[in-house]
Amino acid sequence: MLCECKSGANVEAPQARKYAVIEPATVVNTVRITLTQRVEPTVVVLYICQGQHLARIKQGLDAEKLEFPVVGVSSTGMIFDCPQSTPKVLREALQPPTLGLANVLPRLIEFDQDSPTEAFESAVMAQLVAAMAHRKQHVGVKHIAERAAPHLALYGHGARNQLVKKVGEAARKIANADSTSFTFQSPMAGDQDGGVVHLLKSPEENDLRGRTQGYQALMRGNRARRKKAAPADPNQLDLLQVLEQADDDGGDDVVDIGEDMP
């Protein structure tokens, strides 16, 4: 099954026509799929779009006389539009025609290789803080990318390298803004690992009673650098706010933030 994910409302006609004539064997060989049985492979094309654009996507496919199933996704539900030519196994999987969602869709992929550097800063900072908590002296940019973007392994070679490069740019920016805690070592020529961040000063070195404040100071600086970034999901808990509230209330350093925190 080939999935084309659309953020807009237009179908690129040349691309759609190529999907219609692609050879199953080409897909198997290109993606290096291992067939567990001796069968003749087939290809199904599925378009996925935002719910409000489903009608426009269908109109674009109809104009090219292409009967591809379309899935429309919104914050309240999903719509499965399957023509009769859709293979039975897929029609049965995409039932019922509409599916309501009781909760907000989780944000599984917050950034990709095309996202601006600012979109990476929060996730990179979180991994640097985690490395500090484990008393590490340095951490590689590629390692940060693998931890911050669990989906990295699913990308192609070029996209992976580009995403690692963006993570490195975010790490360099963080290090330049807080030179007392971090230094950034640029990668050598031809090095695909993206460089190394050296951790100079960790809150773990503070007295037990000062560790929370040390981490708070780090995150305050990071939050100031992200003022122009996209607003956070309103359902996302703010760990720093929880910690500050605990300090104001005279609570202990250990704070219960709940089991439902993403």
Side-chain angles (χ1 to χ4, degrees), residues 45-228:
V45 179
L46 175 69
Y47 269 64
I48 305 173
C49 65
Q50 298 185 38
Q52 67 268 30
H53 299 324
L54 188 144
R56 285 280 303 276
I57 295 295
K58 286 292 296 181
Q59 182 180 354
L61 293 174
D62 290 342
E64 298 300 321
K65 298 181 179 180
L66 299 173
E67 295 187 339
F68 296 157
V70 181
V71 175
V73 182
S74 70
S75 60
T76 59
M78 304 174 70
I79 301 174
F80 307 122
D81 189 311
C82 298
Q84 288 298 317
S85 59
T86 303
K88 180 181 178 182
V89 63
L90 184 56
R91 286 205 315 271
E92 292 178 347
L94 300 182
Q95 289 292 335
T98 59
L99 176 64
L101 299 177
N103 300 303
V104 177
L105 285 171
R107 181 183 296 174
L108 300 180
I109 299 181
E110 298 185 7
F111 45 75
D112 60 21
Q113 74 279 6
D114 296 321
S115 301
T117 303
E118 291 75 15
F120 293 81
E121 289 185 33
S122 178
V124 171
M125 186 64 182
Q127 293 305 318
L128 292 177
V129 170
M132 284 181 165
H134 287 85
R135 299 181 180 273
K136 292 184 178 180
Q137 296 181 344
H138 55 265
V139 59
V141 168
K142 187 174 182 180
H143 175 77
I144 296 174
E146 291 171 344
R147 297 296 299 271
H151 53 279
L152 183 65
L154 303 178
Y155 284 14
H157 180 73
R160 283 200 306 270
N161 289 342
Q162 186 63 24
L163 194 146
V164 171
K165 182 179 179 181
K166 288 290 184 69
V167 168
E169 292 173 359
R172 183 194 300 274
K173 188 174 180 180
I174 291 172
N176 290 340
D178 188 357
S179 58
T180 62
S181 300
F182 312 104
T183 59
F184 182 82
Q185 178 180 332
S186 300
M188 302 289 288
D191 183 6
Q192 299 297 324
D193 290 340
V196 177
V197 180
H198 296 278
L199 312 178
L200 306 179
K201 181 181 178 182
S202 170
E204 292 297 316
E205 300 172 4
N206 298 345
D207 182 89
L208 180 61
R209 293 167 295 180
R211 290 179 184 174
T212 298
Q213 288 78 3
Y215 284 116
Q216 286 177 335
L218 277 173
M219 297 310 296
R220 285 194 190 97
N222 183 58
R223 190 162 57 177
R225 290 190 294 273
R226 292 189 292 118
K227 283 184 177 180
K228 295 183 180 181

Side-chain angles (χ1 to χ4, degrees), residues 237 239 242-243 245-246 251-261:
L237 294 179
L239 177 58
V242 174
L243 292 173
Q245 182 178 355
D252 296 330
D253 282 347
V254 180
V255 180
D256 181 6
I257 58 175
E259 296 180 355
D260 295 332
M261 181 176 178

